[in-house]
Amino acid sequence: MNIVILAAGQGKRMHSNLPKVLHPLAGKALVQHVIDTARSLDPQTLCLVYGHGGEVVRTRIDAPDLIWVLQDPQLGTGHAVMQALPHLKDAAITLVLYGDVPLIQAETLQRLVHEARDALAILTVELADPSGYGRIVRNAGGDVLRIVEQKDASAEERAIREVNTGIVALPTARLAEWLGRLSNDNAQQEYYLTDIVAMAVADGEPIRTAQPQGAWEMLGVNSKVQLAELERIQQRRTAERLMEQGVRLADPARIDVRGELVCGRDVFIDVNCVFEGRVVLEEAVEIGPACVLKNACIGAGSRLAAFSHIEDAIVGPDGVIGPFARLRPGTELAAGVHVGNFVELKNSKFAAKSKANHLAYVGDAIVGSRVNIGAGTITCNYDGANKYQTIIEDDAFIGSDTQLVAPVTVGRGATLGAGTTLTRDAPPDMLTVSRARQVSIPGWKRPQKTKK
């Protein structure tokens, strides 16, 4: 088939400099949702008609298989499809989609295309409030006669609840013929794609219809309010799918998945968590409230306490993270590692059963097994121009308030006394201390505030 995605609209009601089709839904541009669904149908030709935002749309969308077609000026949906017509395979069926209708499902489109093998097929739906949509006008026998836009509809026609979604499929040869006969004699002086329905009736061509699984599939975005409504619909659908797979959610209304979330058995996710990119939660993982995970893998049996933030990092099995921990890109933790409150790790690898439980920063480091990193410890890995690595070998003990000035190595089994500033390698199995000698000065008095 040919697929044409119409994405040229300005979206004035969005009140934004960003083209409407680029606004994000569940972490992905509206039009990218439509492109991905279209790709799943394996079309011969995939065209995207763009206009408002022009090059911005082209640079933001990752779609090397797209044929880009510019609509300028923008004179309606029929005019938009006319611009794509030279790129369409004549012998194929053409399916027309919309870049601001992101929740349409592949299964629905397959049913519609099946109906279009030798006819014009229209996706319709019945709405309790059809305001704003073109109405499907049928005769007494139920045959489709035409689609009338709300601006051009009579009072009787506006009472019709069956509406046009705008999504159609039909043989390309017939599409080309009817597009050539379109007129802009209407209130908006635009070329409506929907007018081909009346042409099909006049030509005695069959018109078939198909319906989506639910009205939510054909909901479009024209404002930030509608965008927020679709976001919650999408998130609820995602939450239901996770629960059907065995995930336990504290509240399915308070989870945001902005990418791909893969979960093993017996995973628990508390409220207000955000998942971005691709996140893998292995078996029996527990995620506390208000955690943010982006492109992360959490090993089986690990527990993340509240307000932990993990990005481009790996947590091994049986880890204990947080609360208020931050694992930055390049962090890899082996089995049984503990990272506690207000600890930040970046580009560092921890071997099994090591701990950094309180108020520490470890960056560009290789940490061995069973290492204890005390509160207030930092690796001084950046000299203002270059970054250097710290190596802490197995069974080392790093006392509180220690600064490790990289590049430096702490030997196996070494102990660093509290308050040490380490500028040279610490030998294995020895205590290393660097601190000023404690002095108490008799007779010293604290300064008093000068009276004015």
Side-chain angles (χ1 to χ4, degrees), residues 357-408:
N357 277 329
H358 319 281
L359 300 159
Y361 169 72
V362 181
D364 297 296
I366 303 294
V367 179
S369 299
R370 299 173 300 280
V371 170
N372 185 86
I373 295 177
T377 294
I378 63 170
T379 57
C380 306
N381 57 324
Y382 183 53
D383 65 2
N386 299 294
K387 293 186 177 181
Y388 301 93
Q389 189 174 71
T390 297
I391 298 174
I392 304 174
E393 296 180 351
D394 296 349
D395 299 302
F397 182 94
I398 310 299
S400 298
D401 193 30
T402 294
Q403 299 87 48
L404 299 108
V405 183
V408 71

Side-chain angles (χ1 to χ4, degrees), residues 63-300:
D65 55 335
L66 274 183
I67 297 173
W68 293 87
V69 179
L70 179 64
Q71 183 192 19
D72 186 21
Q74 294 151 33
L75 303 176
T77 54
H79 179 259
V81 179
M82 290 178 196
Q83 312 313 302
L85 196 58
H87 303 281
L88 306 182
K89 303 290 191 301
D90 290 337
I93 289 172
T94 292
L95 171 65
V96 180
L97 304 176
Y98 292 81
D100 61 354
V101 182
L103 302 185
I104 188 68
Q105 300 296 293
E107 296 82 0
T108 296
L109 296 178
Q110 286 168 340
R111 292 199 304 274
L112 182 68
V113 170
H114 179 77
E115 295 292 339
R117 287 172 298 171
D118 59 352
L120 168 61
I122 309 167
L123 188 68
T124 72
V125 67
E126 288 202 9
L127 298 178
D129 180 7
S131 300
Y133 291 94
R135 309 304 203 274
I136 302 294
V137 181
R138 297 178 183 265
N139 63 19
D143 298 321
V144 176
L145 295 178
R146 67 184 183 278
I147 299 172
V148 59
E149 298 297 323
Q150 177 156 315
K151 294 182 179 68
D152 304 314
S154 65
E156 183 181 358
E157 289 167 338
R158 289 183 183 180
I160 297 171
R161 292 176 56 189
E162 184 183 14
V163 303
N164 172 41
T165 68
I167 296 173
V168 298
L170 69 163
T172 303
R174 300 301 279 153
L175 173 66
E177 178 186 344
W178 291 327
L179 286 176
R181 291 159 51 188
L182 283 183
S183 166
N184 66 346
D185 185 17
N186 54 59
Q188 295 293 99
Q189 292 190 312
E190 292 185 347
Y191 296 91
Y192 293 144
L193 181 62
T194 51
D195 286 347
I196 68 175
V197 175
M199 294 180 188
V201 172
D203 291 348
E205 293 287 343
I207 298 175
R208 300 192 177 100
T209 58
Q211 288 72 42
Q213 301 172 49
W216 53 267
E217 278 193 62
M218 47 71 60
L219 294 176
V221 174
N222 290 303
S223 67
K224 298 288 179 58
V225 172
Q226 291 175 338
L227 180 62
E229 290 171 350
L230 263 66
E231 180 74 35
R232 294 329 311 161
I233 291 171
Q234 176 71 354
Q235 294 299 340
R236 179 70 193 199
R237 291 182 61 246
T238 300
E240 289 173 354
R241 185 171 63 250
L242 290 170
M243 290 187 291
E244 288 170 356
Q245 295 169 356
V247 178
R248 184 164 64 92
L249 302 179
D251 184 349
R254 289 188 285 172
I255 180 174
D256 283 270
V257 179
R258 302 169 186 172
E260 180 184 9
L261 177 58
V262 180
C263 297
R265 296 172 67 88
D266 298 314
V267 166
F268 169 70
I269 301 173
D270 214 323
V271 299
N272 299 329
C273 292
V274 178
F275 302 91
E276 301 180 14
R278 188 174 193 273
V279 176
V280 177
L281 306 180
E282 296 182 354
E283 186 171 307
V285 165
E286 295 183 8
I287 307 295
C291 290
V292 178
L293 286 78
K294 181 177 181 180
N295 298 322
C297 180
I298 311 301

Side-chain angles (χ1 to χ4, degrees), residues 22-36:
L22 294 183
H23 282 265
L25 174 76
K28 185 164 63 175
L30 293 172
V31 71
Q32 190 68 59
H33 285 273
V34 184
I35 292 169
D36 292 346

Side-chain angles (χ1 to χ4, degrees), residues 313-350:
I314 298 172
V315 176
D318 300 314
V320 178
I321 310 297
F324 296 99
R326 185 182 182 195
L327 309 187
R328 291 172 57 193
T331 297
E332 296 182 17
L333 308 182
V337 171
H338 290 198
V339 177
N341 46 281
F342 303 104
V343 174
E344 179 181 355
L345 309 182
K346 189 271 296 179
N347 194 31
S348 295
K349 294 179 172 60
F350 277 53

